[in-house]
């Protein structure tokens, strides 16, 4: 019989979808959550960092030419090209596209990579480095690529990202040696707890966007279609754009490019951009949760 935590991890997409639906249909109940999204996401990041073997990450940095190339292409080249292509869709959507493209890979990306036969270790290293570097490269590239069309308080965004990323990382460094045995005994539950917390976070975020969606539900349909299209483009870019890497790394990058840390992006969008941009980012949960299964079929059939 499947354990409760394995069940939650296997069907994480259903939990995320439930969080979005609850926030949409019961906004008054979940609106208090929107005031605590930073705290929730900070807790999630701390739990993620507690389970990462940093010694293994450091030891495997010897292949940095591959890692550096993957990070540069994935989070500097692709975001610019896709953002420029999305400009005709309007500022809210194009900024949402840029934010999503710049977002570091999600903690679940290595798991998806393993399931579909990719290089899990390579994606873990990329995910950790991107997450730690995100407080610096995300605001800088947003300003560089879109500074002419948006007003961005870059210092405030950096502070928010530091609070969400570097402080949880520091807390995990302090707690890990003190709670090493407890972490080892309980880390199998962390994935499930993380999924539950992100589902709650999504309900709080969507409660704030509920009114414009329910007032004009047809507006969400084209945004959902664009979100699915972006997911297909990012996944294809992860495979075809890294022709210089071996097959397993390209499989991993195809999954990781598709499944980034949407919760982090949604929190940033809620704090610094408009409701339509945040709605587009939340709707990206559709391809993020649906397309990995398609990737599994594509790569396992080869």
């Amino acid at each position: 019989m499947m354990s409760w935590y394995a069940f939650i991890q296997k069907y994480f997409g259903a939990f995320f979808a439930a969080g979005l639906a609850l926030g949409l249909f019961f906004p008054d109940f979940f609106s208090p959550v929107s005031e605590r999204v930073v705290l929730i996401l900070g807790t999630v990041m701390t739990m993620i960092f507690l389970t990462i073997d940093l010694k293994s990450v450091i030891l495997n940095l010897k292949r940095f030419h591959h890692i550096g190339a993957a990070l540069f292409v994935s989070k500097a080249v692709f975001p610019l090209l896709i953002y420029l292509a999305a400009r005709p869709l309007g500022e809210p959507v194009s900024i949402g596209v840029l934010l999503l493209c710049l977002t570091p890979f999600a903690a679940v990306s290595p798991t998806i990579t393993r399931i579909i036969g990719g290089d899990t270790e390579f994606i873990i290293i990329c995910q950790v480095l991107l997450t730690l570097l995100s407080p610096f490269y995300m605001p800088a590239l947003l300003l560089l690529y879109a500074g002419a069309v948006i007003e961005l308080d870059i210092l405030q965004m950096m502070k928010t990202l530091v609070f969400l990323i570097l402080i949880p990382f520091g807390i995990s460094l302090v707690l890990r040696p003190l709670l090493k045995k407890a972490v080892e005994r309980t880390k199998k539950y962390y994935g499930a707890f993380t999924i539950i917390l992100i589902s709650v976070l999504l309900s709080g975020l969507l409660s704030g966007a509920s009114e414009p969606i329910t007032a004009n539900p047809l507006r969400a349909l084209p945004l959902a279609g664009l979100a699915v299209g972006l997911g297909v483009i990012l996944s294809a870019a992860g495979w075809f754009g890294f022709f210089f890497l071996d097959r397993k790394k390209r499989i991993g990058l195809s999954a990781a490019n598709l499944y980034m840390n949407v919760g982090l992006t949604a929190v940033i969008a809620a704090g610094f951009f408009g409701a339509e941009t945040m709605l587009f980012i939340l709707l990206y949960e559709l391809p993020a949760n649906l397309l990995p299964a398609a990737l599994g079929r594509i790569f396992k059939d080869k």
Side-chain angles (χ1 to χ4, degrees), residues 107-137:
V108 75
S109 296
T111 301
I112 296 173
T113 297
R114 183 179 67 250
I115 291 170
I116 65 176
D119 189 334
T120 305
E121 186 180 81
F122 180 75
I123 296 303
I124 289 173
I125 296 168
C126 290
Q127 185 251 329
V128 172
L129 291 177
L130 281 175
T131 301
L132 293 176
L133 292 172
S134 61
F136 310 103
Y137 81 77

Side-chain angles (χ1 to χ4, degrees), residues 114-165:
R114 183 179 67 250
I115 291 170
I116 65 176
D119 189 334
T120 305
E121 186 180 81
F122 180 75
I123 296 303
I124 289 173
I125 296 168
C126 290
Q127 185 251 329
V128 172
L129 291 177
L130 281 175
T131 301
L132 293 176
L133 292 172
S134 61
F136 310 103
Y137 81 77
M138 282 186 70
L141 292 180
L142 270 170
L143 193 63
L144 178 64
Y145 295 162
V149 297
I150 60 172
E151 291 185 7
L152 179 65
D153 188 339
I154 189 168
L155 291 178
Q156 186 58 41
M157 181 177 284
M158 288 182 70
K159 289 178 182 177
T160 301
L161 285 165
V162 165
F163 186 86
L164 292 172
I165 305 294

Side-chain angles (χ1 to χ4, degrees), residues 9 43-57 107-108 110-111 124 127-128 168-169 171-173 175-176 179-180 182-194:
Q9 291 180 83
T43 303
V44 168
M45 297 308 299
T46 302
M47 293 175 67
I48 290 170
F49 284 129
L50 278 172
T51 61
I52 292 173
D53 186 351
L54 291 176
K55 289 182 180 178
S56 175
V57 171
V108 75
T111 301
I124 289 173
Q127 185 251 329
V128 172
F169 178 66
I171 292 172
S172 72
L173 289 180
L175 290 179
R176 192 174 179 87
L179 304 173
K180 187 175 181 180
V183 169
E184 288 300 317
R185 287 198 307 268
T186 59
K187 68 179 182 180
K188 63 183 178 182
Y189 306 120
Y190 288 8
F193 287 140
T194 295

Side-chain angles (χ1 to χ4, degrees), residues 127-281:
Q127 185 251 329
V128 172
L129 291 177
L130 281 175
T131 301
L132 293 176
L133 292 172
S134 61
F136 310 103
Y137 81 77
M138 282 186 70
L141 292 180
L142 270 170
L143 193 63
L144 178 64
Y145 295 162
V149 297
I150 60 172
E151 291 185 7
L152 179 65
D153 188 339
I154 189 168
L155 291 178
Q156 186 58 41
M157 181 177 284
M158 288 182 70
K159 289 178 182 177
T160 301
L161 285 165
V162 165
F163 186 86
L164 292 172
I165 305 294
L166 297 186
I167 290 180
F169 178 66
I171 292 172
S172 72
L173 289 180
V174 172
L175 290 179
R176 192 174 179 87
L178 297 175
L179 304 173
K180 187 175 181 180
K181 291 183 179 179
V183 169
E184 288 300 317
R185 287 198 307 268
T186 59
K187 68 179 182 180
K188 63 183 178 182
Y189 306 120
Y190 288 8
F193 287 140
T194 295
I195 291 165
I196 292 170
L197 286 172
I198 292 176
S199 301
V200 173
L201 181 147
L202 292 173
S203 69
L205 288 169
L206 199 61
S207 68
S210 174
E211 186 175 345
I213 297 174
T214 52
N216 186 13
L218 293 179
R219 177 56 184 148
L221 292 178
L223 289 178
L226 291 172
V228 172
L230 176 62
V232 172
I233 290 169
L234 286 174
S235 187
W239 172 256
F240 294 106
F242 295 98
F243 56 88
F244 51 87
L245 297 177
D246 64 53
R247 184 176 185 273
K248 283 197 168 186
K249 290 182 176 62
R250 292 166 68 194
I251 290 174
L253 288 166
S254 182
N257 259 8
L258 165 66
Y259 208 110
M260 72 286 289
N261 191 337
V262 180
L264 174 66
T265 320
V267 170
I268 294 298
F272 295 90
F273 299 98
E276 190 165 354
T277 296
M278 188 182 75
L279 174 59
F280 175 76
I281 288 168

Side-chain angles (χ1 to χ4, degrees), residues 28-73:
D28 292 338
F29 183 82
F30 286 98
S31 60
V33 177
S34 63
E35 301 170 5
R36 296 169 176 82
V37 292
V38 172
L39 179 61
I40 294 171
L41 191 56
T43 303
V44 168
M45 297 308 299
T46 302
M47 293 175 67
I48 290 170
F49 284 129
L50 278 172
T51 61
I52 292 173
D53 186 351
L54 291 176
K55 289 182 180 178
S56 175
V57 171
I58 293 168
L59 286 173
N60 283 285
L61 285 178
K62 59 187 178 183
R63 299 172 298 172
F64 191 75
H65 59 293
H66 283 162
I67 297 166
L71 301 190
F72 177 74
V73 173

